[in-house]
Amino acid sequence: MATGRDGPTVLIVGAGLAGVACGLALDAAGFRVRLVDKGRRPGGRLATRTSGGSPSGMGEDAPYRFDHGAQYLTARDADFRAALDGLVSTGSAALWTGRFATLTPQGLTPEPDAPPRYVGVPGMSQIPGQLAYDLDLALEAELSPPQRLADGGWDLGPFGRADLLLSTAPAAQTAALLEAAPALAAAAEPARFEPCFAALVGFDRPIELGADGLFVEDPEGLLRWVAVNGAKPRRPAETTCLTLHADPAWSAARLDDDPEILKHAPLRRLKELLAAGGGPALPAPAYHRGHRWLYARAVQVVAPRFDADAGAGFAGDWAPPDAQGSGRAEDAWRSGRALAAQVIAAGG
Ligand SMILES: Cc1cc2nc3c(=O)[nH]c(=O)nc-3n(C[C@H](O)[C@H](O)[C@H](O)COP(=O)(O)OP(=O)(O)OC[C@H]3O[C@@H](n4cnc5c(N)ncnc54)[C@H](O)[C@@H]3O)c2cc1C
């Protein structure tokens, strides 16, 4: 096992929860870790979008703020729960004790027993962002498929050289990145994702929907979930910011549609369902955007893997330990930890 700060150099692709979990564990074991992410912020699918506010305010004073990927995190795993509780104690996360309900055309049915649900504060991306704070992280840094060097390391182009290459990008992207390690690329390929279309709708005033997190049972198979972002801790209260998630099959059938046209259908459907169930009429939105998640939820998974001969490995919510998981953020964390354990056990 590597000790001190003289361990092997490791490049981790992706600063989502899997990459951050893996990076923290390897950093603690003395590996020299660098994370790269092509996004403008760390977090991957733990994502927050803001509109308005001061240019230097990092979105904290933005009147329109949406978590448009993962909505909340649940933690059965003790290690993940400890990491989240640590963030709660420093104010970067909180428990969302909102009113959860199922919405049908007949109206709202409150959820009887809610599990503890964690959210980032002031947005979901704060969770990986804070966890990765002390790691070496390059943003807006997209890695192209690298080649191996004669000495067994990896030629990472603009990112230099590393002894080990670990990818936490979604499975298809990982398979492409690891083309120089064909056995690993082949092991990633069976994983499958379903997409999700998200509509972000902002109103310039508070609106009472009767619940804060709405699981939708839509007979037309369009709408799946509605979140009232302002009901989460430390979000703007003077506006109403709704995240609408469409059904995966509905989203999959419209992958080529323009999100700015598609964004109208989930809102129209929400209005119909609210009207049918005696809910409020919604005014014209002040903010309305669409976002397509091509790789939203892993529905077919593989196990995380490190190949010492290839000097490479992969993790992600699509590669939970023992291939046991359901494509949740917790699986990404567990996968990143499991990959790090394999790397440490192999001595780098
Ligand atoms: C709409 C939606 C709703 C969800 N709801 C929930 C929920 O309520 N609860 C829950 O637990 N989970 C939920 N999830 C799932 C959860 O978000 C994921 O399980 C988790 O965030 C995955 O983390 P990850 O690190 O495996 O991958 P990601 O977060 O996808 O991170 C991978 C990172 O790799 C980067 N990357 C890819 N290719 C490259 C490259 N070539 N170079 C550099 N960087 C690259 C990407 O930019 C990305 O940041 C939801 C997801 C979506 C999309």
Side-chain angles (χ1 to χ4, degrees):
M1 180 173 139
T3 54
R5 192 58 53 192
D6 58 353
T9 51
V10 185
L11 186 99
I12 299 178
V13 182
L17 264 187
V20 171
C22 184
L24 287 170
L26 290 178
D27 180 73
F31 288 72
R32 287 173 285 168
V33 176
R34 173 162 231 212
L35 281 88
V36 293
D37 199 297
K38 62 185 179 184
R40 276 189 296 156
R41 293 182 191 177
R45 281 168 278 157
L46 265 58
T48 307
R49 186 181 293 189
T50 60
S51 174
S54 61
S56 58
M58 303 293 286
E60 290 211 23
D61 60 348
Y64 297 101
R65 198 178 322 144
F66 305 85
D67 295 327
H68 58 303
Q71 297 297 292
Y72 55 79
L73 310 184
T74 48
R76 291 175 198 83
D77 178 74
D79 178 50
F80 188 45
R81 206 166 44 240
L84 294 175
D85 286 339
L87 293 177
V88 171
S89 69
T90 57
S92 297
L95 284 168
W96 182 18
T97 52
R99 299 164 300 161
F100 291 85
T102 301
L103 174 66
T104 70
Q106 286 71 47
L108 285 170
T109 307
E111 182 186 53
D113 297 309
R117 292 176 165 120
Y118 294 85
V119 294
V121 172
M124 289 302 280
S125 59
Q126 189 73 357
I127 289 177
Q130 277 303 312
L131 289 169
Y133 200 78
D134 291 329
L135 294 177
D136 178 354
L137 165 64
L139 295 170
E140 297 187 81
E142 178 164 5
L143 185 74
S144 302
Q147 293 305 312
R148 286 200 84 181
L149 295 161
D151 67 3
W154 288 89
D155 174 5
L156 304 167
F159 307 111
R161 179 203 176 280
D163 297 315
L164 305 177
L165 171 65
L166 306 177
S167 176
T168 66
Q173 297 170 354
T174 285
L177 277 171
L178 295 178
E179 66 180 14
L184 272 177
E189 258 159 15
R192 292 283 175 275
F193 283 80
E194 58 186 22
C196 175
F197 182 79
L200 314 179
V201 194
F203 303 97
D204 62 3
R205 67 199 78 155
I207 299 170
E208 176 53 64
L209 290 191
D212 306 322
L214 293 77
F215 303 95
V216 185
E217 289 180 5
D218 181 1
E220 293 200 359
L222 197 166
L223 202 55
R224 191 47 100 75
W225 162 260
V226 179
V228 182
N229 286 274
K232 297 180 179 181
R234 272 189 52 203
R235 266 59 170 189
E238 71 279 13
T239 56
T240 299
C241 298
L242 303 182
T243 299
L244 314 184
H245 281 166
D247 177 85
W250 187 90
S251 304
R254 291 162 181 80
L255 286 182
D256 296 329
D257 290 13
D258 180 348
E260 289 307 301
I261 296 173
L262 208 54
K263 71 184 183 187
H264 294 282
L267 178 57
R268 195 164 52 234
R269 187 63 188 140
L270 175 62
K271 288 179 181 171
E272 289 168 2
L273 287 165
L274 290 174
L282 299 177
Y287 178 96
H288 195 179
R289 294 281 182 279
H291 182 92
R292 180 177 29 239
W293 293 101
L294 185 55
Y295 305 112
R297 181 67 69 92
V299 289
Q300 192 173 311
V301 299
V302 299
R305 188 178 295 206
F306 176 64
D307 181 336
D309 291 334
F314 61 69
D317 61 343
W318 51 275
D322 303 320
Q324 297 295 316
S326 52
R328 309 194 77 81
E330 178 169 20
D331 298 311
W333 177 267
R334 291 168 54 240
S335 177
R337 294 299 231 203
L339 175 61
Q342 289 186 40
V343 174
I344 293 167

